[in-house]
Amino acid sequence: MEKTPEQWLEEAEPARKGGVFKVFLGYAPGVGKTYNMLSEGVRRHSRGEDGVVETHGRAGVSELATRLETVPRKKLEYKGTVFEEMDVDAILARKPQVALVDELAHTNVEGSKHRKRYEDILELLGLGIDVISTINVQHIESVTPLVARITGVVVRETVPDWVMQRVNEIVLTDLTPEALKNRMKRGDIYPVDRAERALANFFRPGNLIALREIALRQVSHVVDRGLESYLEKEHLEQHTPLAEKFAVCISSNPAAQYLMARAARMAARIDAELYVIYVDIGTDNTPEYRRALQENLRFAENLGAHVIRAKGKSVAEEVAKIVREKHITQVVFGRSAVRGVKKYLYLSAIHKFLRDAPAVDVHIVTQEAR
């Protein structure tokens, strides 16, 4: 029976099992992820660490791999063709300190022990083996829709974001787009005839610049997670932000789309991350309400915002809790042209938030009532 993400993460928990997961991240093929992975393996080997490698690459990479022990692959026949896949059981029987496993997003051929290579890796981690792997940013599941819009290429092989949350250390393998194009033209990545087609399509300068930016942001997210873990571990209650983060609170009101767009522009001016928060207090669950809410949440996703849904008795209390946990620095609330009791309730909620939240900047944006 296929395991759930929660079961995989529980079994691979580093505090319990000891396996450390390191990933070399790139923004396109050819930036040097596999070379860097193997170089680290060679360095570890020279320090006396026992390791094995599972990779297949270009001439220079293959030459480097010969300096490390390779576990023979398992041969599997599928539809009359013989394929070779990583032999997880052979690696487990070998019991190395570290395993170098290329191409995290790879899909195994039918008949393999696991459907995806990241499942192979999680099994190794769960049994205390350190793993070093590689991935291009476009294979991270939450990024693929954005990559498709930018490049026109739909990426089929993906790694769920919950797997990336298991990564202990991520290293960006960077190369300027111009240097990458030169490598392509020399035939260092693909044969020259393929390289020309690639340069006219996926490897266009605009695509490479955008993909590089996405990869840089992905690394910054991991750094932020590390900071949050550190603050929690050290019991540091003070608000200690290293980067600006905007949060906007929404409901099912269609005017929330104007509010989110305004917050997105404010966040973009200072290169801040954007969070959209919806708190369900159980007051309305009609089909019209749910439909309008889904439209707003889709709009938030299209803006590239991190969408957070929560449940509670008080919007103010739940938003304050999220602001503290995510180290958000600026919060945007909408204000409709309300009077009387509604105005009192609105102001009361804002005051309650200010009382419960850490020190943050609060923006009140006027929006038309609908």
Side-chain angles (χ1 to χ4, degrees):
M1 186 174 68
E2 193 167 319
K3 296 177 185 176
T4 65
E6 290 77 13
Q7 289 171 324
W8 276 120
L9 287 173
E10 183 180 353
E11 290 185 14
E13 176 60 44
R16 294 177 58 188
K17 301 295 184 179
V20 176
F21 192 13
K22 182 172 183 175
V23 168
F24 284 92
L25 175 73
Y27 68 90
V31 295
K33 303 178 303 300
T34 303
Y35 187 88
N36 285 354
M37 178 189 74
L38 292 171
S39 296
E40 172 151 342
V42 170
R43 287 194 298 272
R44 290 189 178 207
H45 180 69
S46 68
R47 295 198 300 262
E49 288 190 44
D50 178 41
V52 296
V53 61
E54 159 63 36
T55 187
H56 47 281
R58 303 171 191 95
V61 168
S62 298
E63 183 180 344
L64 191 59
T66 60
R67 298 169 63 179
L68 299 165
E69 180 182 344
T70 302
V71 175
R73 295 195 191 119
K74 190 172 185 178
K75 291 182 170 57
L76 296 166
E77 184 175 342
Y78 178 65
K79 293 185 176 180
T81 303
V82 176
F83 295 86
E84 292 187 349
E85 293 289 5
M86 170 175 153
D87 193 335
V88 185
D89 292 329
I91 294 175
L92 292 174
R94 172 65 176 70
K95 297 180 181 177
Q97 289 175 274
V98 59
L100 279 59
V101 184
D102 208 9
E103 297 184 10
L104 178 61
H106 174 72
T107 301
N108 296 327
V109 71
E110 191 171 315
S112 299
K113 185 174 185 180
H114 298 124
R115 189 179 66 86
K116 296 288 292 187
R117 182 161 292 170
Y118 65 75
E119 295 175 319
D120 296 333
I121 287 173
L122 289 171
E123 182 173 357
L124 298 180
L125 290 167
L127 292 172
I129 298 171
D130 292 349
V131 176
I132 307 175
S133 190
T134 65
I135 189 174
N136 281 327
V137 70
Q138 59 266 33
H139 293 284
I140 299 174
E141 198 163 55
S142 64
V143 174
T144 53
L146 178 59
V147 171
R149 289 201 299 272
I150 292 171
T151 66
V153 176
V154 178
V155 178
R156 302 296 180 188
E157 289 192 314
T158 62
V159 172
D161 287 60
W162 63 264
V163 174
M164 299 305 295
Q165 291 171 12
R166 172 60 179 84
V167 175
N168 301 102
E169 184 180 353
I170 190 165
V171 179
L172 179 66
T173 301
D174 198 18
L175 190 67
T176 66
E178 189 61 33
L180 182 58
K181 285 169 57 184
N182 289 336
R183 291 198 68 198
M184 286 284 294
K185 291 174 182 177
R186 291 196 303 266
D188 293 345
I189 302 172
Y190 301 137
V192 176
D193 57 335
R194 275 189 67 193
E196 290 299 326
R197 292 196 300 272
L199 286 167
N201 294 287
F202 186 82
F203 283 78
R204 292 196 304 271
N207 288 353
L208 297 180
I209 292 169
L211 289 169
R212 192 183 188 204
E213 173 70 18
I214 295 169
L216 288 166
R217 289 182 180 179
Q218 188 68 33
V219 172
S220 74
H221 293 164
V222 175
V223 171
D224 285 347
R225 284 207 312 271
L227 171 63
E228 290 168 8
S229 298
Y230 169 76
L231 294 175
E232 183 178 346
K233 180 181 177 182
E234 298 297 323
H235 305 291
L236 297 177
E237 295 297 330
Q238 70 266 31
H239 195 54
T240 317
L242 294 184
E244 294 285 350
K245 295 183 180 181
F246 267 76
V248 55
C249 306
I250 69 163
S251 66
S252 64
N253 188 335
Q257 294 188 17
Y258 167 80
L259 189 65
M260 286 186 281
R262 179 76 179 275
R265 290 194 298 271
M266 294 166 69
R269 290 191 193 107
I270 57 173
D271 196 26
E273 288 186 70
L274 178 64
Y275 290 76
V276 170
I277 302 172
Y278 167 72
V279 179
D280 181 2
I281 56 175
T283 56
D284 197 345
N285 201 29
T286 65
E288 293 79 10
Y289 180 94
R290 290 196 301 271
R291 188 163 50 249
L293 176 62
Q294 286 305 314
E295 285 296 323
N296 286 347
L297 295 178
R298 273 195 294 271
F299 186 82
E301 290 171 354
N302 289 338
L303 288 175
H306 304 280
V307 177
I308 299 176
R309 301 182 67 163
K311 285 187 177 183
K313 295 180 180 179
S314 165
V315 172
E317 288 178 5
E318 292 300 319
V319 173
K321 186 189 304 180
I322 293 166
V323 165
R324 184 176 292 105
E325 290 173 352
K326 298 297 182 182
H327 304 288
I328 286 164
T329 59
Q330 306 201 40
V331 181
V332 180
F333 291 103
R335 182 176 72 85
S336 300
V338 294
R339 296 178 181 177
V341 175
K342 286 187 176 181
K343 183 176 181 180
Y344 169 78
L345 292 173
Y346 170 80
L347 293 174
S348 176
I350 296 294
H351 290 155
K352 191 169 186 179
F353 167 78
L354 292 171
R355 184 195 67 195
D356 295 339
V360 294
D361 295 337
V362 175
H363 305 267
I364 308 296
V365 176
T366 301
Q367 58 190 38
E368 294 181 2
R370 300 201 180 182

